[in-house]
Amino acid sequence: MENFYRQTWAEIDLGAIKYNIEQVKAKLPQQSDIIAVVKADGYGHGSVQVANKALEAGAKALAVALLEEAFVLREAGFKVPILVLGWVSPEYAAIAAENNITLTFFQKEWMDEVALLPMKKKVKLHMKWDTGMGRIGIRTETELKNILQGLKNNKNIELTGVYTHFATADDQDLTFYHQQNKRFQELLKVFQEIWSEPVVIHTGNSAASIRFPKEMHNYIRLGISMYGLYPSKPVKLERSLQLKAAFSLHSRLVHVKRVPAGQSISYGRTYITKESEWIGTIPIGYGDGWSRRLQGKEVLVNGKRMPIVGRVCMDQVMIRLDQEYKLGTKVTLIGEQKNNSIEMDEIADYLDTINYEIPCMINERVPRRYKE
Ligand SMILES: *Cc1c(COP(=O)(O)O)cnc(C)c1O
């Protein structure tokens, strides 16, 4: 294991990644494979390490948001298909082709620009259909027909897939999900009437593939649930699947002191001790992505909940302890300690956001330690 000087780290349980993939896979029909989504450095878990484990667990391809992220994976030696989900400038089609990276496209002008490039190798593309997400993708049958027409004369492009993305697959109300699915089927029908060469088809994110495994096509694009988190409260409550969170966050007490009543703690004196109190200091702060808005949130020491008191500083926070603890005592900010736990969802609720944002928020200043 690498050596870290600081006393704060995120622990990534790669065994949990494998376990989660197996749970999802067990529900999928035989013909649906898994694309492991490792954008944003594997949702803050480490894209290379997660990709490695995901492929070992049976995923067949990888997806990222940026071309940069795809290069990180190619440089790490992965040979499997890699799909870039976001828009990439057409001028980079050649370098994507040379590295066998599949790009997403949906614009006629984009395609026409690629046709003019001097390219040694065709670039593989998946066409994105906007069936209701309103983000990227073609929306009409006319657009679809125009693009397919243009593709026939484009010697720099190989169309290898078509896909869409759901906006509400994680909602309680699934009306719009079903509408999007229906729209996808309509576009697919038009597509198949015109295009006879084989392509792969994929629609589902974590929520859709957990809830409607039988509706999935050649692939699912598995993100959040591979990391052991539920895409939303409704999906969590359905309990159709048991997942294990892979990410936990820890630190250690670097200072412990007894403070008399009436003393202030941290910037701005927002906390004043009510009685004689044990105050601990831990080396994590908003400079690590541990938001200032987490003042008042609890952390675990010796399996018990202790509140963060006073302002969160850039590199340190103070917590109120129930007794004296030895320097070096482990503090868990996210995860389990003894019989207690603080879930990612609890932090997300406190910050009025979704669990996806939390591991992305804990930045690269916090080293990731991997365990099997
Ligand atoms: C991020 C992303 C996914 C993964 O979604 P999860 O909800 O994390 O499973 C799938 N498809 C696209 C297009 C995405 O951008």
Side-chain angles (χ1 to χ4, degrees):
M1 188 183 279
E2 283 173 80
N3 240 320
F4 300 113
Y5 297 111
R6 71 176 303 187
Q7 303 281 350
T8 297
W9 70 100
E11 196 169 277
I12 312 298
D13 180 355
L14 293 172
I17 302 277
K18 184 159 187 255
Y19 174 86
N20 298 326
I21 288 184
E22 287 165 355
Q23 301 311 299
V24 173
K25 209 170 177 331
K27 303 243 160 165
L28 281 179
Q30 196 102 66
Q31 68 276 12
S32 297
D33 281 317
I34 295 175
I35 301 177
V37 181
V38 294
K39 62 193 180 194
D41 201 18
Y43 293 39
H45 293 62
S47 66
V48 170
Q49 291 83 353
V50 171
N52 215 8
K53 191 44 93 173
L55 295 171
E56 186 191 310
K60 293 289 192 296
L62 302 169
V64 289
L66 314 176
L67 192 50
E68 283 83 344
E69 295 173 335
F71 285 135
V72 168
L73 297 172
R74 279 286 177 257
E75 275 156 28
F78 294 106
K79 301 279 187 274
V80 296
I82 300 176
L83 171 64
V84 177
L85 300 165
W87 184 91
V88 173
S89 175
E91 63 190 303
Y92 306 127
I95 193 166
E98 279 159 36
N99 289 279
N100 195 25
I101 292 165
T102 307
L103 300 182
T104 292
F105 89 116
F106 46 91
Q107 291 152 329
K108 181 81 168 44
E109 322 81 83
W110 191 95
M111 230 175 66
D112 295 342
E113 256 185 83
V114 171
L116 302 175
L117 297 174
M119 284 176 56
K120 293 193 210 79
K121 233 183 120 189
K122 286 186 182 201
V123 63
K124 289 181 185 155
L125 300 181
H126 284 201
M127 198 192 325
K128 183 77 183 278
W129 298 350
D130 180 4
T131 56
M133 176 68 184
R135 189 165 66 179
I136 52 173
I138 58 118
R139 292 171 71 92
T140 66
E141 283 163 30
T142 315
E143 279 176 281
L144 176 59
K145 284 176 183 164
N146 280 341
I147 283 189
L148 292 179
Q149 189 57 40
L151 271 182
K152 284 182 185 151
N153 320 310
N154 197 320
K155 50 186 191 336
N156 286 340
I157 289 178
E158 182 187 356
L159 180 68
T160 56
V162 300
Y163 75 108
T164 194
H165 189 54
F166 296 115
T168 63
D170 59 344
D171 264 16
Q172 189 67 47
D173 182 352
L174 286 161
T175 316
F176 192 68
Y177 166 81
H178 293 299
Q179 279 172 19
Q180 276 197 265
N181 223 354
K182 188 161 162 278
R183 180 69 187 138
F184 186 76
Q185 294 301 335
E186 286 165 9
L187 288 170
L188 192 58
K189 190 161 169 282
V190 175
F191 173 79
Q192 283 167 340
E193 277 161 13
I194 304 173
W195 203 259
S196 53
E197 280 152 63
V199 294
V200 296
I201 300 168
H202 47 103
T203 58
N205 53 4
S206 294
S209 43
I210 289 174
R211 295 174 115 179
F212 303 101
K214 304 285 176 288
E215 289 181 12
M216 297 299 112
H217 302 265
N218 304 99
Y219 284 110
I220 63 163
R221 299 185 306 274
L222 186 66
I224 198 72
S225 295
M226 171 170 70
Y227 302 97
L229 303 173
Y230 294 89
S232 66
K233 294 239 158 60
V235 178
K236 189 176 186 175
L237 291 173
E238 283 164 14
R239 285 272 162 226
S240 59
L241 201 70
Q242 211 57 45
L243 298 172
K244 277 188 201 163
F247 187 104
S248 59
L249 181 65
H250 312 273
S251 189
R252 292 190 187 280
L253 290 171
V254 295
H255 189 47
V256 175
K257 59 184 180 284
R258 190 162 186 124
V259 178
Q263 302 283 302
S264 63
I265 303 292
S266 197
Y267 289 119
R269 310 191 71 207
T270 61
Y271 182 78
I272 310 282
T273 51
K274 287 176 209 65
E275 51 195 336
S276 172
E277 294 174 12
W278 285 104
I279 299 290
T281 302
I282 53 175
I284 186 170
Y286 63 80
D288 300 299
W290 189 255
S291 169
R292 272 178 101 249
R293 286 163 53 218
L294 287 164
Q295 179 168 349
K297 182 83 208 78
E298 290 161 336
V299 301
L300 297 175
V301 181
N302 195 27
K304 286 181 279 188
R305 285 174 174 257
M306 316 279 172
I308 292 173
V309 292
R311 294 245 164 93
V312 171
C313 308
M314 190 182 287
D315 320 293
Q316 303 173 77
V317 298
M318 275 60 79
I319 59 180
R320 188 177 66 227
L321 301 167
D322 61 338
Q323 59 169 76
E324 183 176 15
Y325 288 95
K326 282 209 192 86
L327 289 192
T329 299
K330 188 174 172 182
V331 178
T332 294
L333 298 99
I334 302 172
E336 294 176 13
Q337 207 181 76
K338 304 207 168 163
N339 288 324
N340 214 331
S341 79
I342 294 176
E343 290 186 7
M344 198 77 83
D345 290 349
E346 186 184 323
I347 307 288
D349 284 346
Y350 197 85
L351 292 175
D352 201 14
T353 182
I354 53 173
N355 54 22
Y356 291 70
E357 194 176 352
I358 310 302
C360 290
M361 177 176 104
I362 305 303
N363 64 32
E364 66 288 344
R365 204 165 79 148
V366 177
R368 270 60 174 170
R369 289 184 186 170
Y370 294 91
K371 71 165 199 194
E372 285 297 317

